[in-house]
Amino acid sequence: MDSSTRDEQYRRALDEAARSALNWLRSAPGRRVPAPAGPAEVAAHLEGGVPAAGSSPEAVLRRLAAVVEPGLMASGSGTFFGWVMGGTLPAALGADWLVSAWDQNSGMRDATPGTVVVEETAARWLLELLGLPDTAAVGFATGATMANFTCLAAARDTVLGGAGWSIGVALADAPRVRVLVGRERHSSIDLVLRYLGLGAPEEVAVDSQGRLDVQDLRLRLGGGGGPTILCLQAGNIHSGAFDPFVEAIEVAHGVGAWVHVDGAFGLWAAASSRSGELTSGLSDADSWATDAHKTLNTPYDGGIAIVAEREAVRAAMGSHASYLLTSSAVDQHELVPELSRRARGVPVWAAIASLGASGVRELVDGLMASAQDIARRIVDVPGARVVNDVVYTQVSVAFETDERTRQVLRRILAEGAIMPSGSEWHGAAVIRFSVSSWLTDDDAVARTIAAVRRAAV
Ligand SMILES: *Cc1c(COP(=O)(O)O)cnc(C)c1O
């Protein structure tokens, strides 16, 4: 292909993508927040098999945007509170586009030092912002699920190593690994334990906010001994609560257990000035998983696996085929499950570079302040109760009965001005507001309260 044709094709494709992207982003604040179209309506525009003839890049992109947009949630609107998701910072979005344009397989640092060194910088900044040991290994994976997987693979192999088992010998022949989790851990922990062949975990009691009960942990670990992993949580999805790290880690380390923290959205409290005691002791754990696509507001997808002992994760995730370039330092592919990999750390770098340390702190502080505001003002809506202690970014709300709670949620979603999500907590229906977007400001909070008020009439 001659170079002017090639350049022209890229130009038209990227111009069309930029035009559609800007239209989408600009229109998001005024849109219905839940997706206006259902799957069947989207699918109706995509019937038929492979087209016999191709189309120009710009025609493909124009059609794509037209077909897809009705089936999207306006998650960039400031009144989107569904699940725990987050919006997209401009610098992170732009960096993500560049990662695609550069199209580097960013596994090996000597092959693609450009993207890899940016990721290494992002890693250093993350450890600084989150107050974690500066010698820890940081791997950029697809999400907190795979970050939990990475950390718990390192945990499994290390505690089994302590019992004389070595990687490469069948797990079936290994001693049993005891994995303790709080009763309200995130479901991804169970999923990951299945991937790792560790089976169902042992549940430790929790208090009214879902925090691990240290007394119960102490009783369970009283016998000590044996390969053991404890999974703690920074940020319960219903209450936002944090486990008591100081005491729990002391008890677990007392019997030689590995302590992992699932902090998918809560680890960022460590960067806040409002979190007080929530994160005390957090840095004494052995590994931590978090997301960039939630609290940090990078585009999907980006998870972060942090392991205090670098060699533990490298032993679990590294592969050393002879055709790979092996650098003097640790390669990115040795820190995550993927061998070929997108440079997911680059949007993380861009997000932090655009915010600065003060901006990251203000982002997290702002999410916490908006959650407090929603909780304070929503109780003025007749019948509404906040059922959790609002310590971080999560507000769970119930009305007089489950039926009434579900009715109010249905009306909120039908109107579409805001989007919380429905859930069940401690056997009762709740409407859950996860404040996760950099766009949620005072005005968005006011519009949120007004929408709940209209739905609760
Ligand atoms: C979202 C979440 C996860 C899973 O993260 P993904 O990015 O969806 O893989 C794990 N733990 C907690 C507490 C979460 O909120």
Side-chain angles (χ1 to χ4, degrees):
M1 182 174 291
D2 76 68
S3 64
S4 67
T5 311
R6 183 203 61 204
D7 291 353
E8 184 59 13
Q9 287 205 5
Y10 277 128
R11 190 189 63 73
R12 289 208 213 142
L14 294 180
D15 281 353
E16 185 58 38
R19 201 185 58 75
S20 291
L22 279 173
N23 278 346
W24 166 251
L25 293 165
R26 283 198 195 111
S27 67
R31 276 175 186 265
R32 220 189 112 71
V33 187
E41 290 162 83
V42 178
H45 295 285
L46 292 169
E47 281 170 355
V50 181
S55 301
S56 69
E58 65 272 27
V60 170
L61 292 170
R62 209 175 306 122
R63 169 138 190 263
L64 181 66
V67 167
V68 165
E69 283 182 10
L72 303 180
M73 303 182 291
S75 43
S77 75
T79 56
F80 175 83
F81 306 103
W83 302 278
V84 186
M85 289 186 170
T88 294
L89 292 165
L93 171 59
D96 198 58
W97 284 15
L98 284 178
V99 169
S100 290
W102 294 329
D103 189 27
Q104 303 289 300
N105 183 346
S106 298
M108 297 175 286
R109 89 194 284 272
D110 289 343
T112 60
T115 50
V116 169
V117 173
V118 171
E119 293 194 286
E120 290 173 353
T121 307
R124 215 170 57 236
W125 288 359
L126 283 166
L127 296 175
E128 184 183 328
L129 287 167
L130 300 173
L132 299 177
D134 60 11
T135 49
V138 179
F140 295 98
T142 51
T145 304
M146 291 317 283
N148 280 324
F149 173 79
T150 303
C151 293
L152 290 173
R156 180 195 69 182
D157 296 352
T158 301
V159 297
L160 280 173
W165 179 85
S166 70
I167 302 170
V169 176
L171 199 54
D173 300 325
R176 194 177 79 85
V177 179
R178 209 172 156 194
V179 183
L180 293 102
V181 299
R183 192 161 290 151
E184 294 192 19
R185 78 283 182 185
H186 190 269
S187 59
S188 65
I189 295 290
D190 298 70
L191 184 62
V192 157
L193 296 175
R194 261 164 43 211
Y195 296 164
L196 289 167
L198 293 176
E202 180 176 340
E203 291 190 340
V204 181
V206 295
D207 69 9
S208 67
Q209 299 302 307
R211 282 182 298 246
L212 193 93
D213 176 342
V214 178
Q215 201 46 40
D216 189 39
L217 179 70
R218 218 173 254 127
L219 286 174
R220 287 172 189 279
L221 289 181
T228 305
I229 299 169
L230 171 65
C231 287
L232 297 176
Q233 182 167 254
N236 176 296
I237 57 166
H238 289 106
S239 66
F242 290 62
D243 282 337
F245 301 112
V246 173
E247 298 92 332
I249 293 173
E250 190 188 319
V251 171
H253 279 171
V255 297
W258 176 294
V259 181
H260 170 67
V261 178
D262 174 9
F265 64 100
L267 206 61
W268 295 89
S272 156
S273 62
R274 298 171 62 105
S275 60
E277 297 293 294
L278 289 180
T279 56
S280 290
L282 179 76
S283 60
D284 293 328
D286 301 291
S287 59
W288 306 263
T290 191
D291 269 320
H293 55 224
K294 293 179 177 172
T295 311
L296 186 61
N297 280 254
T298 63
Y300 281 96
D301 51 21
I304 301 161
I306 307 172
V307 179
E309 200 194 311
R310 289 178 90 75
E311 276 313 307
V313 68
R314 195 180 187 182
M317 290 292 146
S319 90
H320 307 284
S322 58
Y323 66 87
L324 299 173
L325 286 176
T326 306
S327 79
S328 46
V330 178
D331 279 320
Q332 288 296 314
H333 75 76
E334 298 180 282
L335 303 175
V336 290
E338 295 82 14
L339 191 51
S340 290
R341 61 178 297 280
R342 175 180 183 79
R344 292 190 170 79
V346 170
V348 173
W349 178 88
I352 299 173
S354 73
L355 293 169
S358 60
V360 173
R361 186 172 59 244
E362 283 158 20
L363 169 65
V364 184
D365 287 356
L367 301 177
M368 292 173 71
S370 295
Q372 292 287 353
D373 272 358
I374 290 174
R376 194 168 42 75
R377 296 173 59 181
I378 211 165
V379 293
D380 294 337
V381 176
R385 270 178 305 126
V386 174
V387 299
N388 65 309
D389 296 342
V390 180
V391 296
Y392 188 51
T393 56
Q394 308 299 102
V395 186
S396 287
V397 175
F399 283 79
E400 296 91 335
T401 62
D402 282 359
E403 202 180 322
R404 174 81 175 135
T405 302
R406 293 196 186 104
Q407 179 194 47
V408 172
L409 177 63
R410 270 197 308 276
R411 288 182 180 167
I412 288 173
L413 299 180
E415 189 199 53
I418 67 169
M419 186 173 178
S421 42
S423 187
E424 210 175 88
W425 192 41
H426 299 166
V430 293
I431 302 173
R432 192 157 62 90
F433 295 83
S434 294
V435 184
S436 309
S437 172
W438 70 295
L439 294 169
T440 300
D441 55 10
D442 291 347
D443 176 58
V445 169
R447 283 183 286 126
T448 298
I449 301 298
V452 175
R453 196 179 286 283
R454 287 192 298 274
V457 165

